[in-house]
């Protein structure tokens, strides 16, 4: 019987992990990847926890899942009655966290739905799991709250390790375990802080115990172990409070945590905290997003000037994106605009006097060609991710992307984030993909892990997902057999 363990080290940067591996600090992972391999994967936008878990667990991107961010507003149904209609405004960071499963588009199926013999530890996506298959849920809430206030994350990872080893002895064919400590300690300090490395060494020891257990059971060769991360991180040197920025520019603005605002002209939903979605006139129900041209008109946000123009001049803003009046997506930076559009299976990027995505000029290519060209550039896979973002009806009129080193969170919010993620910059978008069997030599998208795991388990991969099958692993024994 084949088995699969997906270990997600939240917020782990690939370069940090690769340096620790090369320095001999991760002996168990070194043994595991000596048989398999290491590569880098590109995550989805926004590069933030829970949204960026979706590709691994569904094979689909946030746009198809209709979960464009950790906070959003349903512009078609929200009419400004902030208390009566509070269900039309979402934040998975508080009491609505449990709504995520029900919010995922109905056609999307999770690995937990497809593999009945599956369990998860510290998961935020649990559609398809029964309570007995999500055994650590209460402890996740408890440790999550404690870690937030006490800034003490290691006990969470130790709880995960305990449940993981127990699951190895259970009937499960698929086990998902999320280790939160690396992300927690990164936010407190920086992505390569001593506590981050200590947490990573803890994961390494757990992998050693897991492999020893599987070896005792005679299951090591038929078990796929994949270690991934949902996003990277980078130090934050400057906080721009985006809702306050709108207010200081004369725009009454609703935002979390207290969404009440008298007659708001904008809703600002921050994620990660290095990106945000902005909805114009949130009190007025409408089906369609306003195109960028309409958003630039002075009356869009109820003030006498072009808010988009002022926003892109902020040093913290890399670029903003909105839909074009003639289709496609318009990307705007302080230098000017560019247009993204699709033609069949090709994505076309046309600078209109500027190159805000820093692609190096006009480019037209398939999604695969975009990945190959941009994966190690300033904004990896940004064209694909921006078009995906505007597939979701819940996405705001404007998407605002922070420059590296900047976030959109209030300066004095406790605990202060000294590092962050959520943007489209390389340090947030690149993640490690390490496995016990060979991985592709070149970069892949995190979404490709889903069909890889299903094919390993012999479970049919569903139609209509975003993964393409770029990585379909074969058992080591089978490889050896075919070579002989
Ligand atoms: Zn985080």
């Amino acid at each position: 019987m084949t088995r699969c363990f997906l270990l997600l080290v939240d917020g782990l940067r690939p370069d940090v992990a690769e340096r620790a591996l090369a320095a001999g600090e991760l002996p168990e992972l070194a043994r595991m990847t000596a048989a398999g391999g290491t590569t880098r994967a590109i995550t989805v936008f926004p590069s933030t926890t829970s949204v960026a878990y979706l590709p691994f667990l569904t094979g689909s991107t946030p746009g198809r899942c209709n979960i464009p961010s950790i906070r959003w507003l349903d512009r078609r149904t929200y009419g400004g009655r902030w208390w009566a209609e509070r269900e039309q405004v979402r934040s998975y960071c508080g009491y609505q966290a449990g709504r995520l499963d029900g919010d995922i588009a109905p056609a999307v199926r999770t690995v937990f739905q497809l593999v009945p013999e599956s369990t998860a530890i510290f998961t935020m996506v649990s559609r398809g799991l029964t309570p007995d298959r999500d055994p650590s849920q209460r402890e996740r809430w408890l440790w999550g709250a404690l870690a937030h206030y006490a800034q003490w994350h290691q006990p969470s990872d130790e709880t995960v390790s305990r449940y993981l080893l127990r699951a190895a002895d259970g009937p499960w064919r698929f086990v998902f375990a999320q280790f939160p400590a690396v992300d927690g300690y990164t936010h407190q300090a920086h992505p390569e802080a001593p506590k981050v490395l200590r947490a990573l060494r803890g994961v390494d020891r757990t992998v050693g115990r897991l492999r020893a257990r599987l070896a005792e059971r005679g299951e090591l060769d038929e078990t796929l172990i994949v270690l991934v991360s949902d996003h990277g991180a980078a130090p934050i040197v400057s906080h721009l409070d985006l809702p306050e920025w709108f207010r200081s520019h004369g725009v009454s603005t609703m935002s979390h945590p207290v969404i009440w605002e008298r007659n708001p002209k904008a809703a600002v939903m921050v994620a990660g905290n290095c990106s945000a979605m902005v909805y114009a006139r949130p009190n007025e129900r409408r089906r369609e997003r306003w195109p960028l041209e309409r958003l630039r008109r002075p009356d869009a946000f109820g003030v006498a000037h072009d808010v988009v123009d002022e926003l892109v001049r902020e040093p913290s803003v890399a670029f903003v994106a909105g839909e074009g009046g003639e289709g496609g997506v318009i990307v705007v930076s302080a230098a000017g605009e560019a247009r993204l559009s699709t033609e069949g299976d090709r994505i076309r990027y046309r600078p209109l006097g500027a190159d805000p995505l820093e692609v190096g000029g006009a480019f037209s290519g398939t999604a695969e060609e975009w990945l190959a060209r941009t994966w190690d550039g300033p904004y990896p896979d940004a064209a694909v991710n921006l078009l995906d973002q505007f597939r979701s009806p819940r996405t705001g009129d404007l998407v605002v992307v922070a420059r590296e080193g900047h976030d959109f969170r209030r300066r004095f919010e406790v605990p202060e984030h000294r590092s962050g993620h959520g943007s489209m910059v390389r340090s947030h978008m690149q993640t490690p993909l390490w496995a016990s069997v060979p991985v592709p030599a070149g970069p892949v998208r995190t979404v490709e892990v889903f069909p890889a795991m299903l094919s390993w388990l012999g479970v049919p991969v569903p139609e209509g997902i975003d993964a393409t099958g770029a990585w379909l692993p074969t058992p080591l024994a089978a490889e050896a057999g075919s070579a002989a």
Side-chain angles (χ1 to χ4, degrees):
M1 177 185 79
T2 52
R3 304 181 79 188
C4 175
F5 288 74
L6 176 64
L7 313 181
L8 190 152
V9 184
D10 200 294
L12 178 62
R13 271 173 62 146
D15 53 344
V16 170
E18 288 159 10
R19 275 193 290 274
L21 188 72
E25 291 185 54
L26 307 173
E28 300 295 345
L29 285 163
R31 260 188 284 280
M32 181 184 97
T33 57
T38 64
T39 190
R40 290 191 184 187
I42 304 301
T43 190
V44 290
F45 178 80
S47 51
T48 195
T49 303
S50 69
V51 181
Y53 288 16
L54 292 166
F56 299 115
L57 301 174
T58 69
S60 289
T61 52
R64 186 186 297 275
C65 291
N66 203 14
I67 307 288
S69 189
I70 54 170
R71 299 188 176 93
W72 48 263
L73 180 151
D74 190 335
R75 105 173 55 66
R76 296 165 309 172
T77 56
Y78 183 75
R81 290 154 58 221
W82 71 281
W83 180 254
E85 294 172 343
R86 62 189 180 281
E87 282 303 306
Q88 315 309 321
V89 183
R90 192 73 83 240
S91 170
Y92 301 120
C93 300
Y95 73 98
Q96 292 179 321
R99 302 296 305 273
L100 179 62
D101 287 336
D103 289 339
I104 299 171
V108 171
R109 291 203 287 163
T110 68
V111 62
F112 308 122
Q113 291 172 291
L114 295 166
V115 183
E117 313 88 348
S118 58
T119 185
I121 300 150
F122 273 41
T123 186
M124 299 184 195
V125 177
S126 53
R127 185 195 272 182
L129 286 176
T130 46
D132 61 307
R133 286 163 59 201
D134 189 5
S136 63
Q137 196 184 49
R138 293 176 76 99
E139 274 159 282
R140 179 167 76 83
W141 289 112
L142 175 75
W143 286 120
L146 191 69
H148 183 80
Y149 295 106
Q151 306 203 24
W152 193 43
H153 304 282
Q154 197 59 48
S156 302
D157 272 19
E158 281 155 19
T159 303
V160 173
S161 296
R162 216 168 40 244
Y163 276 102
L164 175 65
L165 295 171
R166 207 176 292 167
D169 278 327
W172 314 114
R173 295 195 66 208
F174 175 73
V175 180
F176 172 55
Q178 187 252 134
F179 295 85
V182 163
D183 185 63
Y185 290 127
T186 295
H187 283 302
Q188 276 174 37
H190 62 87
E192 206 161 6
K195 283 183 177 176
V196 171
L197 293 172
R198 191 187 63 185
L200 186 54
R201 288 192 299 269
V203 172
D204 183 70
R205 282 192 299 275
T206 298
V207 168
R209 284 191 210 115
L210 173 63
R211 296 184 78 231
R213 196 72 201 96
L214 292 167
E216 278 169 37
R217 293 168 59 95
E219 294 173 346
L220 195 56
D221 288 344
E222 57 203 32
T223 302
L224 170 65
I225 305 175
V226 191
L227 182 133
V228 296
S229 178
D230 54 336
H231 58 75
I236 300 297
V237 293
S238 168
H239 303 281
L240 173 73
D241 187 312
L242 204 60
E244 282 307 319
W245 182 92
F246 273 83
R247 291 180 192 118
S248 71
H249 282 72
V251 181
S252 58
T253 297
M254 67 183 271
S255 64
H256 287 96
V258 180
I259 60 171
W260 184 83
E261 179 85 24
R262 182 182 297 277
N263 196 17
K265 293 290 189 289
V268 176
M269 308 266 161
V270 176
N273 300 298
C274 301
S275 66
M277 303 199 299
V278 180
Y279 303 76
R281 311 275 191 101
N283 283 10
E284 300 167 17
R285 291 189 188 94
R286 59 192 151 89
R287 284 207 71 76
E288 305 299 326
R289 272 182 281 268
W290 278 349
L292 198 78
E293 296 86 338
R294 173 84 177 80
L295 295 167
R296 279 179 173 283
R297 275 170 31 193
D299 65 322
F301 293 98
V303 288
H305 42 261
D306 178 347
V307 170
V308 173
D309 193 53
E310 291 184 320
L311 190 54
V312 296
R313 287 173 201 280
E314 277 297 326
S316 293
V317 175
F319 54 81
V320 306
E323 286 180 323
E326 291 150 34
V329 169
I330 309 288
V331 190
V332 192
S333 70
E337 295 187 357
R339 179 188 296 273
L340 280 170
S341 56
T342 50
E343 290 164 355
D345 67 346
R346 300 183 79 75
I347 296 169
R348 185 162 175 231
Y349 175 72
R350 194 153 50 93
L352 305 168
D355 178 13
L357 296 183
E358 298 181 38
V359 173
F363 182 66
S364 172
T366 62
E368 293 326 300
E369 288 164 346
W370 272 97
L371 180 68
R373 183 175 171 120
T374 64
W375 76 274
D376 207 25
Y379 302 108
D381 221 13
V384 171
N385 279 314
L386 281 170
L387 289 168
D388 178 65
Q389 181 79 177
F390 285 96
R391 283 206 291 180
S392 168
R394 291 168 176 156
T395 295
D397 297 300
L398 269 184
V399 171
V400 188
V401 175
R403 208 174 279 288
E404 178 156 327
H406 300 256
D407 76 1
F408 297 144
R409 180 176 169 134
R410 206 168 310 167
R411 187 185 304 260
F412 299 112
E413 193 167 357
V414 178
E416 186 192 349
H417 279 198
R418 296 200 173 85
S419 289
H421 50 85
S423 178
M424 287 191 167
V425 295
R426 177 174 49 214
S427 56
H428 301 184
M429 295 300 291
Q430 288 193 354
T431 61
L433 169 54
W434 295 7
S436 59
V437 302
V439 292
V444 290
R445 297 187 174 95
T446 56
V447 80
E448 299 296 348
V449 172
F450 177 82
M453 300 188 304
L454 289 185
S455 70
W456 180 272
L457 294 172
V459 173
V461 178
E463 300 275 306
I465 61 173
D466 293 304
T468 62
W471 175 38
L472 295 176
T474 46
L476 290 173
E479 283 209 337
S482 62

